[in-house]
Amino acid sequence: MSKKTKIAFVCDRCGADYPRWTGQCTSCGEWNTIKEVRLGGAERNSRSAGYAGSRSEVKLLSDVNLSQAERISSGISEFDRVLGGGIVCGSVVLIGGAPGAGKSTLLLQAIANIAARGVSVLYVSGEESLQQIAERAHRLKLPADKIMMLAETSVQRICDVLDDVKPQILVIDSIQVMHTQEAESAPGSVSQVRESASYLTQYAKKHGVSIFMVGHVTKDQSLAGPMTLSHIVDTQVMLGSTDDARFRVLRADKNRFGSVGELGFFAMDSLGLKEVKNPSAMFLNRPDKPSSGSVVTVLWEGTRPLLVEIQALVTECQYGNPRRLAVGFDQNRLAMLLAVLSRHGGIFTANDEIYANVVGGIKVTETSSDLAIVVGIVSSLRDKIIPHDAFFFGEIGLSGEIRPVANGHARLNDAAKHGFKKAVIPKANAPKKAIDGLEIHGVATLSEALDIVAEM
């Protein structure tokens, strides 16, 4: 009896599906990205037990085993930090990034460290030949005698090999070239990526194998493939470069076993990716001669503080409409801060062009940099140099108040370790006990902060 073939229309860009073909995807707004996909018969998914790998009986939440999942260290502390403390057995990690970012290099270094401790690992390559990978390992001076290799793109064939060799760590490079017999479309299509990832995830959960999947990115640096791919995996990390091409930043966008937004910093050299133990020094490479508009703030990224420099430039408008440009943080936030500065700080910039930039390519996602941005703008407008040993953090409200931020004491301690002497922070974040060598000014309003800046 023949199966009834199901047909769907799926957007190649975002993975949205439709009952019939249309010219534009209403989900992502792209044109001519909706393709016909054959889903196969209804019996095909009868094996599916969800991404958890197996079905279970109904039980009380209080009866669920709360034992901590075993973790394997990769031997790279920055990588372990982003993963939440190591590799969880049976977890599935998706690592994305632009071509040349260092995804394959990082994973090869990690599994070389793991294999050297006697943990069985298997590297499956679907893009590069085994000779190319061996040459890279030789160039990076990595021990290669305990790393098992396989050149294969069939998911079913890979799982058959896994049953034989039984590795604890598996690397799939990359998920976009894998294919499964249960989907009839071409490798790289939405259905093939989704089904291949689902098949491998179920295998990982059932057999306790930790899987790393390498993922491609689109031209706008978003992960290629269906959005379902992000839901299937346990952890999604992105490896990107900074303004300085020597450095790489690894960010956790999703993590079921750790904090989201955690950052890991690496430097690329002839021997691969090296950890950057002090990332603040990487972003605080300031010139010896101070200049106006340059201010330091302390961000909180994941579980640690990060000192970064914010630069602002205020210049007279040469044309009809003044331009406002923000690089590294929300441009709407810049417009709001300028309005607060005008209303509650008495400083008008309506006729000036304003440019603000976070040095080093860091993307600011929290509001603790508000005070530093405003101080930088005032510094550039008045051509006043802020001392190199001063830093600022605090959120600015619409009524001109300086609101406290999380982890204020840890930010102060980290800045003091880097030699900073003066701090202008929210009054509520001011510690009760003085910090040696650090002069702390707690302020409640924007006008108080501006008065302190004027006296510097």
Side-chain angles (χ1 to χ4, degrees), residues 46-352:
S46 60
R47 65 163 179 84
S48 176
Y51 304 134
S54 61
R55 296 182 176 92
S56 67
E57 301 294 333
V58 175
K59 61 173 65 176
L60 294 174
L61 184 61
S62 58
D63 296 335
V64 177
N65 186 6
L66 294 178
S67 60
Q68 291 291 328
E70 182 183 353
R71 292 182 183 265
I72 300 173
S73 173
S74 67
I76 306 174
S77 59
E78 289 293 296
F79 194 25
D80 288 343
R81 172 192 289 273
V82 175
L83 295 179
I87 305 167
V88 177
C89 294
S91 64
V92 180
V93 179
L94 177 64
I95 176 169
K103 305 181 295 296
S104 300
T105 299
L106 177 61
L107 290 178
L108 188 60
Q109 290 179 250
I111 64 172
N113 293 334
I114 295 171
R117 301 197 304 270
V119 179
S120 59
V121 299
L122 175 63
Y123 192 112
V124 179
S125 175
E127 296 181 350
E128 296 179 285
S129 68
L130 299 186
Q131 182 181 3
Q132 288 176 304
I133 300 174
E135 289 176 350
R136 180 187 300 131
H138 178 72
R139 186 177 69 251
L140 300 177
K141 295 180 173 55
L142 298 176
D145 56 330
K146 296 183 180 180
I147 301 176
M148 295 183 288
M149 301 295 300
L150 175 67
E152 184 59 67
T153 58
S154 171
V155 172
Q156 282 80 8
R157 164 64 178 151
I158 292 171
C159 290
D160 289 340
V161 174
L162 294 178
D163 290 336
D164 293 335
V165 301
K166 293 180 171 54
Q168 294 176 260
I169 306 291
L170 171 67
V171 175
I172 300 292
D173 190 2
S174 68
I175 189 61
Q176 271 80 13
V177 300
M178 297 294 140
H179 67 88
T180 173
Q181 300 170 1
E182 298 175 351
E184 299 179 6
S185 54
S189 63
V190 170
S191 59
Q192 280 285 7
V193 173
R194 179 180 63 243
E195 292 298 325
S196 297
S198 175
Y199 198 102
L200 290 169
T201 301
Q202 290 186 25
Y203 188 94
K205 302 301 181 184
K206 187 175 181 180
H207 297 84
V209 179
S210 301
I211 298 180
F212 287 93
M213 300 180 185
V214 176
H216 297 165
V217 295
T218 60
K219 59 184 179 181
D220 61 353
Q221 301 304 304
S222 61
L223 200 64
M227 191 64 188
T228 313
L229 185 59
S230 298
H231 297 294
I232 293 174
V233 300
D234 297 310
T235 304
Q236 177 180 321
V237 298
M238 297 293 290
L239 183 64
S241 59
T242 65
D243 288 350
D244 190 333
R246 297 172 299 168
F247 299 109
R248 302 290 188 272
V249 179
L250 186 69
R251 176 187 290 273
D253 292 334
K254 172 190 176 182
N255 195 349
R256 290 174 177 157
F257 305 107
S259 61
V260 177
E262 189 69 73
L263 295 182
F265 297 92
F266 302 88
M268 178 70 82
D269 62 13
S270 60
L271 295 178
L273 290 170
K274 303 295 183 182
E275 300 175 76
V276 177
K277 298 293 187 180
N278 185 12
S280 293
M282 183 174 80
F283 295 106
L284 282 181
N285 189 14
R286 308 172 77 188
D288 295 333
K289 183 180 179 181
S291 59
S292 61
S294 175
V295 181
V296 172
T297 188
V298 188
L299 304 177
W300 191 263
E301 294 290 348
T303 58
R304 66 178 169 189
L306 182 64
L307 286 154
V308 298
E309 179 186 1
I310 293 179
Q311 293 181 340
L313 175 64
V314 181
T315 181
E316 292 183 3
C317 179
Q318 304 296 327
Y319 305 100
N321 296 319
R323 189 180 183 190
R324 276 73 192 281
L325 180 64
V327 178
F329 61 95
D330 187 10
Q331 189 147 334
N332 292 327
R333 188 103 196 146
L334 175 61
M336 187 199 76
L337 293 175
L338 292 175
V340 175
L341 180 62
S342 174
R343 176 67 182 269
H344 300 285
I347 298 176
F348 302 95
T349 58
N351 298 322
D352 297 313

